[in-house]
């Protein structure tokens, strides 16, 4: 599969037959897609935007799995790699519990339950610890375990110790165990100069299984927080539905006379048994007994939905959240393993207490809803009997009598819950769903937590730090906001703690042959090789904005014997044997696998294109060590190129390519984006040569999909393409 993102912010996935699988709409006006990367197992796609937003998308369905924004700066580089070691057995040493099945999320628009997204399931089935590295325009690099858990923050300007500020990160290439990153970034000096560096992150390697355990817990906790958010939205909608049903009839009474109050007139009717002419006309003519029945049934259904949401979703999710936060506290108490990562016991305990306070407030709201249902049923029954009496209709025997308790219920409902500021509002429940303090605080004699504390006198012997601390004046939304803040604070120190242990053993400047505003048009490709006897990172970049005359190749060794050994060379296509005579310019390049680099060339006249395969072994033989650790790279020498194979296109101007070694294919774009050729890179000898590529002549719909309104056709530089690895 191939994924493409345009500068208008749309992303769409196509099969190699070029049939469209799904399209992700743009996130906002002026927001561009700046980077795309596949998760190593190709089931999740990470998309970075100029707004700083990151979106994780399930490849099969196109559903958005997770969204976040590291710090609001535009995203300029992405890399997502696995750790080379499996951690399943080692993770058992963390004493993590068996993961509980998460409660299903709520479809708030329909108030029903929906199954978990397939993307959520995929995110939980990773056997290896994968890290998503995100480079930003301001020179920061974030690391996210499983693409979700922020576990590292690198400040390149601080690490470099330079007076100049480092700008946009262009490329990130981690080695197999993520102990070292090779990074290419701009220098903010108005010059066409980039900085190539290696950053050692030893704490990630040393605490790999600890980060794995924290990542698993973080993934579960954030999933449960999402469930709570969706359930609270559905709870708000259910309450608003009850309001709409009441206001559809009741609000007409107030509109007749601005000085009248429906609750006051109904209270007088309850106390004195006499209805004024206006109230009698409203009850008999506007409201009617049948209309009251319909309203009563609708409001009761809404209240019933609120009860279900509380019991089946909010309570269930919060109990699981408390369970995982307790496990997080257990990990934090293993200070010899987790204190170096910035995990603090007191912050984790605060999050645990916040979850307990949210549980207590949920029980309080559940009790308020139960009481409100009693009030509502009693109120509607009394109002129904009153309408029948005013209409001279017979009253059913079971409704003819009422008790003094019923009168107190109705009076309490009219005084505290029915009307506020001249508007019909069920405020006894509604106040819990607003992000403000409660206006009517429940008595301590009826609050579940206070009743428990009074019944169990031994609770008072515990220190306050060990107890839940629900605030009587806080609403449910305020308690959840406090819970969110405490959960965030528990993990907040981890990225900086890991980043502070990083060091920068190698750095060199590289001046490119282009204007400073053309640095985003240079072609960069990277590859991490993790063979038993060959562990290194390779970075290739053109010497100018494409089309360019050649490219640099850098090799950063990762083995202990060659640690911090860096070699490099510049390769020019003016000295390339086995190619037809002529002047060539490089349009695009990518590493195909550990042995081959693929390059697209254009002739000087832009009439002929060449798809060139270069042997990495031969290229690496010509690399020379870079002795200077802090200074400019000397590119005065040039080395000779040897083409292992190539293909000439006389009728096809190729300008961009996408490669997949596992699928053994190459996708090549024409300059006008009107033609794409799909090549089988490893054709069996017995197959017919004519079948080795698939030429898709007409892909004019590509331009239409990138520009939804059928605008101008996009240039090559307006589209980023990534083929599934």
């Amino acid at each position: 599969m191939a994924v493409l993102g345009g500068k208008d912010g749309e992303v769409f996935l196509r099969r190699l037959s070029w049939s469209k699988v799904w399209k992700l709409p743009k996130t906002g006006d002026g927001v561009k897609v700046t980077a795309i990367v596949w998760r190593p197992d190709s089931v999740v796609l990470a998309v970075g935007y100029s707004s700083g937003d990151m979106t994780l998308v399930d490849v099969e369905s196109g559903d958005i799995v997770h969204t976040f924004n590291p710090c609001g700066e535009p995203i300029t580089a992405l890399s997502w790699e696995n750790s080379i070691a499996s951690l399943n057995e080692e993770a058992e040493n963390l004493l993590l519990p068996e993961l509980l099945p998460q409660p299903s999320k709520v479809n708030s628009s329909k108030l029903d339950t929906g199954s978990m997204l397939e993307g959520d399931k995929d995110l939980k089935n990773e056997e290896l610890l994968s890290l998503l590295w995100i480079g930003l325009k301001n020179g920061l690099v974030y690391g996210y375990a499983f693409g979700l858990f922020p576990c590292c923050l690198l400040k390149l300007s601080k690490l470099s110790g330079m007076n100049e500020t480092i700008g946009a990160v262009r490329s990130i290439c981690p080695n197999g165990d993520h102990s070292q990153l090779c990074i290419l970034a701009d220098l903010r000096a108005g010059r066409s100069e980039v900085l190539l560096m290696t950053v050692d992150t030893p704490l990630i390697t040393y605490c790999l299984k600890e980060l794995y355990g924290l990542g698993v817990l973080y993934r579960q906790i954030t999933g449960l927080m999402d469930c709570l958010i969706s359930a609270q939205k559905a709870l708000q909608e259910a309450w608003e539905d009850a309001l709409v049903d009441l206001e559809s009839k009741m609000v007409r009474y107030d509109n007749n006379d601005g000085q009248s109050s429906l609750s006051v007139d109904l209270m007088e009717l309850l106390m004195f048994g006499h209805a004024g002419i206006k109230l009698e006309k409203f009850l008999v003519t506007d409201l009617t007994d049948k209309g009251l029945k319909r309203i009563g049934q609708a409001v009761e259904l809404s209240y019933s939905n609120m009860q279900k949401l509380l019991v089946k979703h909010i309570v269930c999710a919060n109990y699981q959240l408390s369970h995982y936060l307790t496990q997080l506290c257990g990990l934090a108490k293993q200070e010899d393993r987790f204190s170096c990562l910035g995990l603090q016991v007191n912050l984790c305990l605060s999050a645990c207490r916040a979850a307990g306070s949210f549980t207590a407030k949920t029980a309080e709201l559940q009790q308020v809803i139960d009481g409100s249902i009693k009030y509502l049923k009693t109120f509607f029954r009394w109002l129904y009997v009153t309408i029948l009496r005013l209409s001279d209709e017979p009253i059913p025997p079971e409704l003819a009598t009422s008790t003094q308790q019923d009168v107190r219920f109705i009076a309490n409902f009219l005084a505290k819950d029915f009307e506020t500021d001249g508007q019909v509002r069920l405020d006894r429940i509604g106040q819990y769903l607003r992000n403000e303090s409660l206006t009517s605080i429940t008595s301590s004699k009826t609050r579940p937590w206070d009743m428990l504390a009074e019944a169990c006198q031994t609770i008072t012997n515990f220190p306050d730090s060990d107890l839940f601390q629900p605030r009587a004046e806080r609403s449910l939304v305020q308690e959840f906001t406090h819970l969110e803040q405490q959960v965030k604070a528990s993990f907040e120190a981890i990225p900086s703690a890991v980043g502070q242990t990083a060091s920068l053993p190698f750095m060199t400047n590289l001046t490119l042959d282009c204007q400073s505003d053309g640095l985003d048009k240079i072609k960069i490709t990277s590859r991490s090789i993790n063979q038993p006897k060959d562990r290194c990172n390779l970075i290739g970049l053109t010497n100018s904005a494409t089309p360019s005359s050649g490219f640099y190749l850098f090799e950063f060794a990762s083995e202990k014997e060659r640690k911090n050994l860096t070699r490099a060379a510049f390769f020019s296509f003016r000295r390339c044997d086995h190619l037809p005579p002529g002047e060539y310019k490089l349009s695009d390049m990518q590493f195909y696998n550990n042995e081959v680099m693929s390059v697209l060339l254009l002739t000087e006249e832009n009439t002929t294109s060449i798809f060139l395969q270069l042997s990495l072994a031969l290229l690496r033989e010509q690399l020379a060590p870079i002795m200077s650790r802090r200074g400019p790279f000397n590119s005065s020498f040039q080395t000779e190129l040897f083409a292992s194979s190539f293909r000439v296109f006389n009728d096809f101007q190729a300008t961009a390519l996408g490669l997949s070694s596992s699928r053994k294919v190459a996708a090549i774009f024409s300059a006008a984006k009107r033609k794409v050729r799909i090549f089988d890179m490893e054709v069996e000898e017995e197959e017919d040569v004519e079948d080795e590529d698939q030429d898709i002549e007409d892909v004019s719909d590509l331009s239409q999909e990138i520009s939804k309104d059928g605008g101008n056709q996009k240039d090559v530089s307006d589209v980023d393409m990534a083929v599934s690895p």
Side-chain angles (χ1 to χ4, degrees):
M1 294 184 180
V3 61
L4 298 99
K7 286 190 175 180
D8 59 353
E10 290 182 340
V11 179
F12 50 95
L13 184 73
R14 289 181 176 272
R15 301 189 188 279
L16 294 180
S17 61
W18 218 244
S19 59
K20 186 174 71 175
V21 180
W22 49 256
K23 180 170 71 173
L24 201 65
K26 60 183 181 180
T27 59
D29 294 336
V31 178
K32 303 174 183 179
V33 177
T34 54
I36 300 173
V37 69
W38 295 81
R39 202 174 77 173
D41 56 8
S42 300
V43 298
V44 176
L45 193 69
V47 182
Y49 295 92
S50 58
S51 59
D53 292 326
M54 273 296 308
T55 300
L56 304 185
V57 187
D58 177 64
V59 172
E60 286 298 320
S61 63
D63 295 329
I64 295 178
V65 175
H66 186 61
T67 58
F68 59 94
N69 192 314
C71 70
E73 285 288 322
I75 293 170
T76 54
L78 292 175
S79 177
W80 203 342
E81 298 292 341
N82 278 332
S83 170
I84 57 177
S86 175
L87 294 174
N88 279 350
E89 296 181 359
E90 295 180 353
E92 294 178 359
N93 297 329
L94 297 174
L95 302 179
L96 286 175
E98 183 178 352
L99 299 182
L100 303 174
Q102 285 194 0
S104 55
K105 293 182 180 179
V106 180
N107 185 347
S108 59
S109 61
K110 297 182 180 179
L111 291 180
D112 60 4
T113 59
S115 60
M116 281 187 296
L117 295 174
E118 292 296 325
D120 290 337
K121 296 178 182 178
D122 290 334
L123 285 173
K124 297 173 186 174
N125 290 337
E126 287 185 273
E127 296 182 358
L128 302 176
L129 173 64
S130 67
L131 270 79
L132 171 64
W133 294 99
I134 303 173
L136 304 180
K137 189 176 182 179
N138 61 352
L140 297 182
V141 176
Y142 282 86
Y144 282 77
F146 303 115
L148 298 172
F149 167 47
C151 62
C152 184
L153 170 60
L154 302 175
K155 300 178 180 180
L156 300 184
S157 296
K158 184 177 180 180
L159 282 173
S160 66
M162 299 175 60
N163 295 327
E164 297 174 291
T165 304
I166 295 179
V169 178
R170 299 293 178 186
S171 177
I172 306 171
C173 183
N175 63 356
D177 58 2
H178 296 272
S179 63
Q180 187 181 81
L181 302 177
C182 299
I183 298 174
L184 183 70
D186 295 350
L187 280 175
R188 287 185 182 173
R191 303 190 302 270
S192 56
E193 194 171 3
V194 295
L195 196 64
L196 194 62
M197 66 190 81
T198 59
V199 179
D200 286 345
T201 53
L203 190 58
I204 292 181
T205 306
Y206 180 74
C207 298
L208 208 58
K209 52 180 175 290
E210 284 79 7
L211 289 174
Y212 179 89
L214 288 175
V216 170
L217 284 180
Y218 184 87
R219 185 173 56 197
Q220 296 298 110
I221 289 171
T222 53
L224 290 168
M225 296 294 285
D226 289 341
C227 289
L228 287 173
I229 291 173
S230 63
Q232 286 183 88
K233 288 181 180 178
L235 192 66
Q236 177 78 18
E237 290 184 8
W239 174 69
E240 290 174 352
D241 288 343
L243 277 181
V244 169
D245 293 325
L246 273 176
E247 289 181 342
S248 62
K249 291 289 185 180
M250 302 296 186
V251 77
R252 296 181 184 178
Y253 184 80
D254 291 332
N255 288 339
N256 292 333
D257 184 356
Q259 298 179 352
S260 299
S261 173
L262 180 58
S263 62
V264 172
D265 291 348
L266 287 174
M267 185 70 78
E268 290 180 356
L269 175 61
L270 176 66
M271 295 292 104
F272 305 111
H274 174 72
I277 298 175
K278 177 185 173 185
L279 180 60
E280 181 177 347
K281 179 177 179 298
F282 171 73
L283 293 177
V284 176
T285 307
D286 294 338
L287 193 57
T288 74
D289 56 341
K290 294 182 179 179
L292 185 63
K293 272 187 176 181
R294 288 194 297 270
I295 294 175
Q297 291 172 353
V299 173
E300 188 174 347
L301 178 62
S302 296
Y303 271 55
S304 176
N305 285 334
M306 283 190 277
Q307 285 182 314
K308 291 178 181 177
L309 287 166
L310 274 174
V311 174
K312 291 185 177 181
H313 297 279
I314 294 181
V315 171
C316 180
N318 192 52
Y319 281 167
Q320 289 196 21
L321 179 64
S322 301
H323 170 73
Y324 289 121
L325 288 175
T326 303
Q327 298 300 325
L328 184 66
C329 291
L331 296 184
K333 290 180 179 180
Q334 301 180 44
E335 295 185 356
D336 58 325
R337 303 178 65 180
F338 290 92
S339 61
C340 61
L341 294 175
L343 193 65
Q344 302 178 29
V345 178
N346 59 331
L347 294 178
C348 296
L349 288 173
S350 297
C352 234
R353 288 194 296 269
S357 299
F358 184 72
T359 301
K361 190 61 67 172
T362 301
E364 181 181 327
L365 176 57
Q366 191 173 350
Q367 190 178 61
V368 170
I369 292 177
D370 291 340
S372 296
I373 290 179
K374 295 178 183 178
Y375 293 156
L376 270 175
K377 287 183 176 180
T378 306
F379 170 72
F380 279 117
R381 185 178 64 182
W382 166 75
L383 203 57
Y384 178 69
V385 171
T386 302
I387 293 176
L388 292 180
R389 185 180 290 115
L390 293 174
S391 304
D392 297 326
E393 297 287 340
I395 300 174
E398 64 273 13
L399 301 178
T401 59
S402 60
T403 64
Q404 190 64 29
Q405 185 180 23
D406 293 339
V407 175
R408 286 200 302 269
F409 276 174
I410 298 168
N412 197 12
F413 175 75
L414 289 173
K416 297 182 179 180
D417 194 26
F418 182 69
E419 189 179 52
T420 304
D421 299 330
Q423 294 183 348
V424 177
R425 302 177 68 177
L426 302 177
D427 212 45
R428 185 185 295 270
I429 296 174
Q431 63 176 346
Y432 285 86
L433 307 179
R434 293 191 290 268
N435 192 17
E436 56 189 48
S437 299
L438 300 179
T439 56
S440 176
I441 300 176
T442 306
S443 171
S444 60
K445 296 181 179 180
T446 59
R447 287 198 297 267
W449 177 255
D450 294 282
M451 293 170 63
L452 176 64
E454 185 177 352
C456 302
Q457 296 295 329
T458 55
I459 291 181
T460 58
N461 298 328
F462 289 96
D464 292 341
S465 59
D466 293 339
L467 294 176
F468 300 155
Q469 299 171 345
R471 302 286 183 87
E473 71 279 2
R474 279 182 180 174
S475 65
L476 183 74
V477 174
Q478 285 180 319
E479 287 288 6
F480 182 73
T481 302
H482 177 64
L483 173 60
E484 281 186 308
Q485 293 171 349
Q486 294 302 318
V487 170
K488 181 181 178 182
S490 300
F491 295 96
E492 199 167 26
I494 295 177
S496 296
V498 175
Q500 286 174 0
T501 63
S503 60
L504 200 152
F506 174 82
M507 179 176 64
T508 185
N509 301 350
L510 185 63
T511 302
L512 302 178
D513 187 16
C514 64
Q515 299 295 324
S516 58
D517 57 356
L519 290 177
D520 57 344
K521 295 182 180 179
I522 64 174
K523 295 294 183 180
I524 306 171
T525 183
S526 61
R527 182 82 181 183
S528 178
I529 299 177
N530 296 294
Q531 303 297 333
K533 296 183 179 180
D534 185 14
R535 293 185 59 200
C536 67
N537 290 340
L538 299 175
I539 291 183
L541 69 153
T542 57
N543 66 326
S544 66
T546 54
S548 63
S549 60
F551 67 93
Y552 295 96
L553 182 62
F554 290 85
E555 178 194 82
F556 304 90
S558 299
E559 303 108 332
K560 293 182 180 180
E561 297 78 10
R562 299 192 302 145
K563 190 71 172 179
N564 299 328
L565 174 62
T566 303
R567 301 191 301 160
F570 178 75
F571 297 91
S572 173
F573 290 100
R574 296 174 183 174
R575 302 179 59 188
C576 185
D577 293 342
H578 313 301
L579 286 180
E583 293 289 332
Y584 297 100
K585 294 288 186 179
L586 187 150
S587 297
D588 199 0
M589 63 178 183
Q590 283 190 31
F591 291 106
Y592 175 64
N593 54 28
N594 292 345
E595 291 80 30
V596 176
M597 172 186 275
S598 298
V599 176
L600 278 181
L601 301 179
L602 275 176
T603 59
E604 194 73 25
E605 299 79 15
N606 294 335
T607 56
T608 303
S609 300
I610 296 179
F611 181 42
L612 186 65
Q613 299 283 80
L614 300 175
S615 169
L616 276 178
L618 295 177
L619 293 178
R620 293 174 65 184
E621 285 180 0
Q622 302 181 67
L623 301 180
I626 303 178
M627 305 305 295
S628 173
R629 298 302 173 104
R630 303 266 181 173
F633 169 60
N634 182 8
S635 60
S636 58
F637 63 94
Q638 298 182 5
T639 55
E640 189 173 359
L641 279 171
F642 298 94
S644 57
S645 65
F646 63 90
R647 179 163 183 167
V648 180
F649 307 105
N650 293 317
D651 57 344
F652 188 78
Q653 294 185 24
T655 55
L657 64 89
L659 303 173
S660 173
S661 58
S662 61
R663 301 176 187 273
K664 302 177 182 179
V665 294
I668 301 178
F669 268 136
S670 67
K673 286 292 190 306
R674 293 287 182 178
K675 186 183 291 187
V676 175
R677 286 188 175 179
I678 310 296
F679 290 92
D680 188 343
M681 297 288 285
E682 300 178 25
V683 182
E684 299 294 336
E685 293 182 0
E686 62 270 13
E687 293 183 12
D688 189 12
V689 178
E690 294 181 358
D691 295 334
E692 68 177 357
D693 67 82
Q694 177 185 0
D695 192 1
I696 302 173
E697 294 292 342
D698 186 9
V699 290
S700 57
D701 63 324
L702 176 62
S703 303
Q704 296 170 2
E705 289 175 2
I706 295 176
S707 180
K708 190 173 182 180
D709 299 327
N712 294 332
Q713 185 177 319
K714 298 291 181 181
D715 296 331
V716 176
S717 59
D718 288 343
V719 177
D720 292 328
M721 179 176 68
V723 178
S724 173

